[in-house]
Amino acid sequence: MFFLGVLGFAVYGNEALHFSCDPDKREVNLFCYNQFRPITPQVFWALQLVIVLVPGAFFHLYAACKSIKQEDNLQKSFYTGFYMFSVFLRIILEAVAFWLQIQLFGFKVNAIYMCDMGALEKKFNVTRCMVPEHFEKTIFLIAMYTFTVITVFLCVAEIFEITCRRLGFLKTQ
């Protein structure tokens, strides 16, 4: 995620500067860009990263404060339950972030954005705006969706592994 976050700034970094509408006036460009991107993908993904890391951080902070050894996590039901709860919470937060991401950005970035300028009280209510590097942005969105799905899959696999170890199907090394 960190790697993609760094690449995201390369792809989306100066998007607002190159977003141009017809007529090409600063106020129109800014108004339409804010309509096109209510939140920038970089900020969204940074928030997603922080929010998804919080449940695990709480568990590890608790474990560090209580001096819990890693081997004890599977031995004591409370620790296992607390850890599994943090993983379930991570899955829920990832799912919510995935849904929000789809609502905010969609699956494809079109080359042309039709902006509703009714609030600016212009004689033209709709104007055309050019979205820079739309194809790169589409590829990057698909990569972010893919990594979100992989993260959820790994969390589910982690819960499955812990459950199997607790039930004795897998031997703890």
Side-chain angles (χ1 to χ4, degrees), residues 41-107:
Q42 308 97 295
V43 171
F44 180 82
W45 292 323
L47 286 171
Q48 177 183 0
L49 183 62
V50 169
I51 288 170
V52 166
L53 290 177
V54 166
F58 275 132
F59 172 78
H60 291 292
L61 182 64
Y62 175 80
C65 288
K66 295 287 185 181
S67 299
I68 301 169
K69 295 177 185 165
Q70 192 169 6
E71 307 86 51
D72 294 341
N73 285 344
L74 287 176
Q75 304 303 325
K76 298 188 179 178
S77 295
F78 177 75
Y79 300 148
T80 305
F82 187 23
Y83 182 72
M84 287 182 68
F85 174 74
S86 74
V87 176
F88 273 121
L89 192 56
R90 200 174 350 153
I91 291 171
I92 291 167
L93 292 172
E94 281 283 7
V96 168
F98 187 74
W99 180 80
L100 277 172
Q101 197 173 350
I102 291 170
Q103 298 304 309
L104 289 169
F105 310 123
F107 286 99

Side-chain angles (χ1 to χ4, degrees), residues 89-158:
L89 192 56
R90 200 174 350 153
I91 291 171
I92 291 167
L93 292 172
E94 281 283 7
V96 168
F98 187 74
W99 180 80
L100 277 172
Q101 197 173 350
I102 291 170
Q103 298 304 309
L104 289 169
F105 310 123
F107 286 99
K108 182 181 180 198
V109 179
N110 295 318
I112 304 290
Y113 174 72
M114 300 305 285
C115 176
D116 180 12
M117 296 189 338
L120 283 178
E121 298 180 19
K122 300 290 180 185
K123 61 181 176 179
F124 300 109
N125 283 343
V126 177
T127 188
R128 294 167 44 110
C129 300
M130 299 292 293
V131 180
E133 301 160 346
H134 62 94
F135 186 69
E136 287 178 14
K137 290 176 175 73
T138 298
I139 291 171
F140 203 79
L141 280 175
I142 292 168
M144 291 305 290
Y145 292 139
T146 302
F147 279 101
T148 301
V149 169
I150 289 170
T151 302
V152 169
F153 176 75
L154 289 173
C155 289
V156 170
E158 187 173 13

Side-chain angles (χ1 to χ4, degrees), residues 12-32:
Y12 286 97
N14 56 1
E15 182 181 41
L17 294 175
H18 299 292
F19 189 86
S20 63
C21 300
D22 183 32
D24 192 15
K25 293 183 179 175
R26 181 169 163 69
E27 68 181 30
V28 172
N29 289 344
L30 287 174
F31 178 82
C32 290

